[in-house]
Amino acid sequence: MRLSLSSASAAFLAVSATAAMADPGTVKFDIVREKRSPGSINLFKHRHRHRLAKRATNVSDTVQAILDNYDYLYYANVSIGSPGQALRLQIDTGSSDIWVQSGENEVCQESDDPCAETGIFEPEDSSTFSEISSNFYIAYGDGSYARGAYAYETFDIGGAAVENLTIAVATDANATDGIMGIGYPSNEAIVSVYGSAYQYKNLPDLLVEQGFIQSRAYSLWLNDLEASTGSILFGGVDRTKYSGNLVELPLDLYTGESEPTEFFVTLEGVGYTDIDGSENEMVSSLGEPVLLDSGTSFSYVPIGVLRAITNAISASYSSELGYYVQSCTVTSVNASIDYYFDGVTIKVPLNEILYPATTTSGRQLTFTNGQPVCLLTVNSNADIGVSILGDTFLRSAYVVYDLDNHVIALAQTIFNETESDIVAIGTGTTAIPGVTATASDARVTVTSTALTNVVATEVILTDSSVIPVAASGSVSDSEVGSGSSTSSSSSTGSTTTSGAAGTGRIDGRNRALLGACVAITLAFSGGLIIFGL
């Protein structure tokens, strides 16, 4: 599952696999941020496969590698094959397959060379490439897809050279970048089509089997929106990167499952900490399963939660943009939206959930009073079918994904920490170092609605057009439609859309949002701005 944001005037984080591993056991990806020049397309993207179908460390048993957030899409620079071919793959905790682009893909052969930034893989140039079958196919809710062949290949990440890893090479795709899914093998695309008997060992599995890490667990530290460093650490925990205790939460299950296949945990409530430091609980007894997905930039919550958040920050719905908006001046306020889990609260600063709205030439959109427009990156879950806490949440959390014990461990992140204190994650039920267990291991059942199609709407503004001043007020029923989401019994409200997903090229900066997707194009003399909601 991927829902991603691209911002024209924002800097991008580049996943760089310059990290090497001094000792076996850690694989770490650090995050490096670079500035993008004006002119790229501003687009919020969502991609979802529905369940239908650092530097070297001296800690053994961990693997740490550099991450790169390119236009808010987190990438890993990896090396595949013998000799190694350098590629940049999107990191996705919401899916489980690794697939790469082939030069045979017609999309990659277009004149503007759209696959150059993330790279293509040429099997004939690798002596270790061994094709398994030609039945790879994966499709996403935005209309993007990839098909090609499964193969065994050497895969180097953060200095850990994994041998005979199953990857897929896409010879036909309408997306321009590959994916590094690191979820459960039971969520692999082939399992959806052919059943569990065809499940294969993916990257977390082989990192353990080949002795790089002790258990199928990794820690995610994305750091703040403006940060220049961050990491994913396979097989370890960095104790300098979070405050308080890591609290262990059991993973929720889909109806009929005996073991989890995705990273859902139960959100108990939502609150607001104001500028005076006063904590105000806004939504309680929620019991909402939420997916912690690194491949999703925004967050998608029940309408009651959305209403509480928009009330707290006095955001209003802009029919011109199709987003909830507020002045960017509020991002300087020391306040936060607080997410309550069993035993731990994650506070998300306002500057992590309000993004500047700019044109591709770098022009900042403004309200009629001259204040800069920011878009709220928390939306209704109605047409997604499930609730998702994406990167706008994950940057404020230190998250340990433990696939062996079917738990998530959460703590409040410490932004911009440069020191490291890495401890390996061992084996057994108490594998995560320093973790605090919750009082209850109760799970919530995850249900989901069928996904709706994508609809696109255009709004054209003249050079003199401005956005009306945002006024205080809550989300109205007319802004979110009617009906209900069934991601849990506590979800209410819906956004109703219709239409069909378009065809054509879908690259890392040009993906439509699944379900409640409304793409809005704003034409200015200074450039073109495209939003997707």
Side-chain angles (χ1 to χ4, degrees):
M1 181 179 290
R2 285 182 301 287
L3 173 58
S4 309
L5 160 68
S6 171
S7 179
S9 66
F12 70 91
L13 300 175
V15 182
S16 163
T18 58
M21 194 176 62
D23 296 312
T26 64
V27 180
K28 177 182 179 182
F29 274 68
D30 288 340
I31 299 172
V32 178
R33 191 182 184 102
E34 302 174 15
K35 276 286 185 184
R36 277 188 64 78
S37 59
S40 65
I41 292 176
N42 223 351
L43 181 67
F44 300 106
K45 303 166 297 297
H46 178 85
R47 206 169 175 201
H48 172 61
R49 180 174 66 82
H50 193 251
R51 299 186 72 258
L52 290 176
K54 160 180 156 179
R55 298 169 185 81
T57 72
N58 58 5
V59 179
S60 63
D61 300 324
T62 62
V63 181
Q64 185 167 245
I66 294 174
L67 291 185
D68 177 18
N69 182 356
Y70 178 51
D71 274 354
Y72 303 101
L73 292 169
Y74 288 87
Y75 288 83
N77 286 342
V78 302
S79 176
I80 303 178
S82 302
Q85 300 177 38
L87 291 96
R88 174 179 289 174
L89 304 178
Q90 288 187 40
I91 298 174
D92 189 10
T93 62
S95 67
S96 305
D97 299 279
I98 294 176
W99 65 269
V100 298
Q101 289 287 359
S102 164
E104 294 182 29
N105 184 4
E106 292 184 359
V107 167
C108 295
Q109 297 172 11
E110 294 180 7
S111 58
D112 58 344
D113 200 9
C115 301
E117 290 180 301
T118 52
I120 59 174
F121 177 72
E122 300 293 2
E124 63 272 18
D125 294 336
S126 173
S127 62
T128 49
F129 181 84
S130 177
E131 184 170 328
I132 303 170
S133 70
S134 59
N135 62 349
F136 169 70
Y137 178 78
I138 191 166
Y140 301 92
D142 64 348
S144 63
Y145 68 88
R147 62 167 53 91
Y150 287 103
Y152 295 124
E153 188 53 284
T154 300
F155 187 92
D156 191 301
I157 177 172
V162 178
E163 297 179 349
N164 295 317
L165 176 66
T166 299
I167 66 169
V169 180
T171 55
D172 176 23
N174 61 349
T176 62
D177 46 4
I179 304 298
M180 190 175 86
I182 50 176
Y184 280 100
S186 53
N187 199 33
E188 291 163 354
I190 196 168
V191 174
S192 296
V193 178
Y194 296 103
S196 59
Y198 290 86
Q199 178 177 308
Y200 60 84
K201 295 179 180 179
N202 66 358
L203 181 60
D205 290 323
L206 290 189
L207 282 171
V208 173
E209 186 174 283
Q210 296 181 22
F212 295 105
I213 59 179
Q214 295 183 48
S215 61
R216 297 184 304 164
Y218 49 85
S219 303
L220 189 65
W221 182 64
L222 295 183
N223 212 344
D224 70 17
L225 190 59
E226 299 300 324
S228 60
T229 60
S231 67
I232 184 170
L233 177 62
F234 289 90
V237 171
D238 190 339
R239 295 184 293 196
T240 67
K241 299 299 192 293
Y242 62 89
S243 61
N245 295 322
L246 278 170
V247 176
E248 188 177 272
L249 303 172
L251 291 178
D252 295 329
L253 305 174
Y254 276 98
T255 303
E257 285 184 343
S258 60
E259 290 188 348
T261 56
E262 295 187 86
F263 299 117
F264 283 93
V265 293
T266 303
L267 178 65
E268 301 291 354
V270 177
Y272 177 68
T273 298
D274 62 26
I275 58 176
D276 298 323
S278 299
E279 298 181 355
N280 308 279
E281 187 173 22
M282 302 186 299
V283 180
S284 62
S285 302
L286 184 60
E288 175 75 9
V290 292
L291 180 66
L292 304 186
D293 183 10
S294 69
T296 297
S297 288
F298 283 6
S299 293
Y300 293 82
V301 297
I303 188 59
V305 174
L306 180 58
R307 285 189 172 119
I309 292 173
T310 56
N311 279 335
I313 67 173
S314 297
S316 291
Y317 183 79
S318 167
S319 59
E320 288 86 358
L321 296 181
Y323 284 95
Y324 305 106
V325 295
Q326 178 54 286
S327 170
C328 295
T329 58
V330 304
T331 61
S332 62
V333 174
N334 187 23
S336 65
I337 301 299
D338 305 334
Y339 293 83
Y340 305 142
F341 301 87
D342 186 8
V344 62
T345 297
I346 303 300
K347 295 178 177 291
V348 180
L350 297 190
N351 62 5
E352 288 292 327
I353 62 171
L354 289 167
Y355 289 174
T358 62
T359 68
T360 56
S361 63
R363 174 182 172 183
Q364 170 72 59
L365 293 183
T366 60
F367 294 108
T368 51
N369 63 1
Q371 292 186 354
V373 175
C374 268
L375 309 177
L376 177 63
T377 59
V378 181
N379 296 309
S380 168
N381 69 356
D383 286 297
I384 301 300
V386 294
S387 291
I388 305 171
L389 296 182
D391 296 332
T392 54
F393 166 84
L394 292 174
R395 277 188 286 269
S396 297
Y398 190 88
V399 187
V400 183
Y401 295 80
D402 186 343
L403 286 73
D404 280 349
N405 291 304
H406 307 311
V407 297
I408 289 284
L410 288 179
Q412 185 72 41
T413 199
I414 296 178
F415 290 134
N416 302 309
E417 175 58 56
T418 58
E419 299 297 320
S420 289
D421 180 14
I422 295 174
V423 181
I425 298 173
T427 59
T429 57
T430 59
I432 303 174
V435 72
T436 300
T438 56
S440 171
D441 63 354
R443 291 180 163 94
V444 172
T445 299
V446 183
T447 60
S448 62
T449 59
L451 301 179
T452 57
N453 291 323
V454 173
V455 61
T457 302
E458 274 195 1
V459 176
I460 304 298
L461 301 184
T462 65
D463 293 341
S464 59
S465 297
V466 290
I467 307 302
V469 178
S472 176
S474 65
V475 182
S476 69
D477 289 336
S478 63
E479 291 157 4
V480 296
S482 59
S484 64
S485 165
T486 59
S487 58
S488 84
S489 59
S490 59
S491 299
T492 60
S494 173
T495 302
T496 303
T497 61
S498 61
T503 59
R505 185 173 75 195
I506 301 177
D507 63 22
R509 292 157 303 285
N510 190 19
R511 288 198 182 89
L513 169 64
L514 164 68
C517 176
V518 179
I520 299 176
T521 305
L522 304 168
F524 293 93
S525 59
L528 175 69
I529 178 169
I530 299 179
F531 299 96
L533 175 62

